Amino acid sequence: MKLEMLRVFQTTAEQGSLARAADALRRTPSAVSMMLLQLEQEVGGALFEAGRKNRLTPLGLLVLEESRRANEAYARSVRAIRRYATSTGGSVRIVAVPSATISMLPKVILRFRLERPDVQLEINDVDSATVRRRLEYDEADIGIVSAAPENATEGALIERTPLGIVCRADGPIARAARQEPPSWSLLDLEPMIINPLCGMVKSPVVERHLISSVLESRNTTALLAFVQAGLGATILPESAMRAHEDALAFFQPSDPEAFRHLLKIRQTRRPATPAVEAFWQSLPTLTETL
């Protein structure tokens, strides 16, 4: 099965007609039709419902998903080759949770740049599940993920930070927290904006809000913007709100204490290039952080 077959099929499925696909691919409709027929013979079944190029069979839906994945992987490989060819020092693809991108990576990149100014860096901030998925599909070289203490064994521990309540500095939670020791029960005073880190807090109050909350975000910048707008409070490490210290407040409850671990993980399907290995070593270990 040739990659070009998948590209032609994906284009036809997305265009919804043979004529539009042919125009997009700059081929004749008969050439496109012939390649689609060859692909159906390869996979052993019909990809389109009879006579309709705008409606896929169940097999067609599966092949479309795999075609997108294969074509995207090919495009990424081409970009990686071109990046490497134009960068004398190589390249490193890093995916990290947003809080690490804000609080840790700037200092790491600054130090790395002093030692390896010729290495091209590509940084993306996504949630932990996406970090793992991109490493699995070889879409990144190094990842930084959040993990609860009991799950902090999949990679190298680089940071251990307390979690707490992030709220408006002039809101009900902040006023109450200044009068009494911080508690997770303060979350009952405002709507809770949930995010994946909330599940690391082993508190009945937080668990109840995880079920009842009607607002969720996986992006740290969006979470902070929502809190600042008065939509509610959330749970984050204190380092995530450094740029908002005047408008927002952070309180660390101790009933119980909760911690977020940052781990560095890497793809292992192929040997690391010297540039990737150098960046991996530049990320601090827990002992260095402390």
Side-chain angles (χ1 to χ4, degrees):
M1 186 181 301
K2 297 180 180 179
L3 182 64
E4 184 63 15
M5 290 181 179
L6 298 179
R7 189 172 78 90
V8 169
F9 169 68
Q10 179 183 338
T11 302
T12 305
E14 291 174 347
Q15 292 293 328
S17 82
L18 202 62
R20 287 196 296 269
D23 287 342
L25 293 166
R26 296 184 178 181
R27 298 188 178 191
T28 64
S30 60
V32 172
S33 180
M34 179 63 68
M35 187 159 288
L36 292 175
L37 179 60
Q38 291 173 350
L39 180 59
E40 288 183 327
Q41 291 172 346
E42 285 275 357
V43 300
L47 301 175
F48 299 94
E49 291 192 1
R52 307 185 68 174
K53 292 295 185 282
N54 62 350
R55 187 168 297 179
L56 299 174
T57 63
L59 175 60
L61 291 171
L62 174 65
V63 174
L64 177 59
E65 180 181 348
E66 295 300 328
S67 296
R68 285 171 173 160
R69 186 173 298 164
N71 287 317
E72 287 168 4
Y74 174 77
R76 283 191 299 271
S77 296
V78 170
R79 289 195 298 268
I81 292 168
R82 287 174 177 166
R83 281 197 308 269
Y84 192 89
T86 57
S87 174
T88 58
S91 63
V92 185
R93 302 166 298 169
I94 304 122
V95 285
V97 292
S99 56
T101 305
I102 295 170
S103 64
M104 173 180 289
L105 281 183
K107 292 181 289 186
V108 172
I109 292 171
L110 182 61
R111 291 197 303 268
F112 186 79
R113 278 275 175 248
L114 294 175
E115 299 177 2
R116 304 290 295 268
D118 54 341
V119 174
Q120 184 171 1
L121 300 177
E122 178 185 321
I123 315 292
N124 284 284
D125 61 328
V126 294
D127 60 53
S128 292
T130 304
V131 171
R132 295 181 179 94
R133 187 165 59 250
R134 291 194 179 182
L135 286 172
E136 180 184 356
Y137 291 129
D138 195 19
E139 298 171 8
D141 302 303
I142 295 173
I144 300 177
V145 297
S146 293
E150 62 270 20
N151 298 324
T153 57
E154 64 176 308
L157 185 60
I158 59 176
E159 187 175 272
R160 180 178 183 267
T161 54
L163 294 173
I165 300 171
V166 175
C167 59
R168 280 182 61 101
D170 58 356
I173 290 178
R175 290 194 295 269
R178 296 186 183 106
Q179 302 299 319
E180 57 188 56
S183 166
W184 296 112
S185 62
L186 290 170
L187 290 167
D188 290 334
L189 299 177
E190 298 184 32
M192 181 170 161
I193 308 167
I194 64 174
N195 69 78
L197 295 180
C198 299
M200 298 182 186
V201 180
K202 307 307 179 184
S203 163
V205 176
V206 175
E207 291 170 0
R208 173 163 45 83
H209 281 286
L210 282 170
I211 297 172
S212 62
S213 175
V214 294
L215 182 56
E216 177 178 1
S217 177
R218 294 175 175 266
N219 182 277
T220 301
T221 302
L223 285 165
L224 295 172
F226 293 162
V227 173
Q228 191 165 350
L231 295 175
T234 194
I235 295 173
L236 288 170
E238 185 175 15
S239 58
M241 52 167 283
R242 286 174 181 165
H244 301 261
E245 290 177 347
D246 293 336
L248 304 181
F250 175 87
F251 299 100
Q252 184 185 348
S254 58
D255 58 340
E257 290 185 323
F259 293 89
R260 185 279 305 269
H261 287 179
L262 282 181
L263 309 175
K264 61 178 180 180
I265 58 178
R266 64 202 299 182
Q267 70 88 16
T268 57
R269 294 187 176 184
R270 52 188 170 84
T273 65
V276 170
E277 185 62 32
F279 194 89
W280 175 266
Q281 295 299 332
S282 73
L283 289 167
T285 63
L286 178 61
T287 54
E288 290 171 342
T289 301
L290 296 175

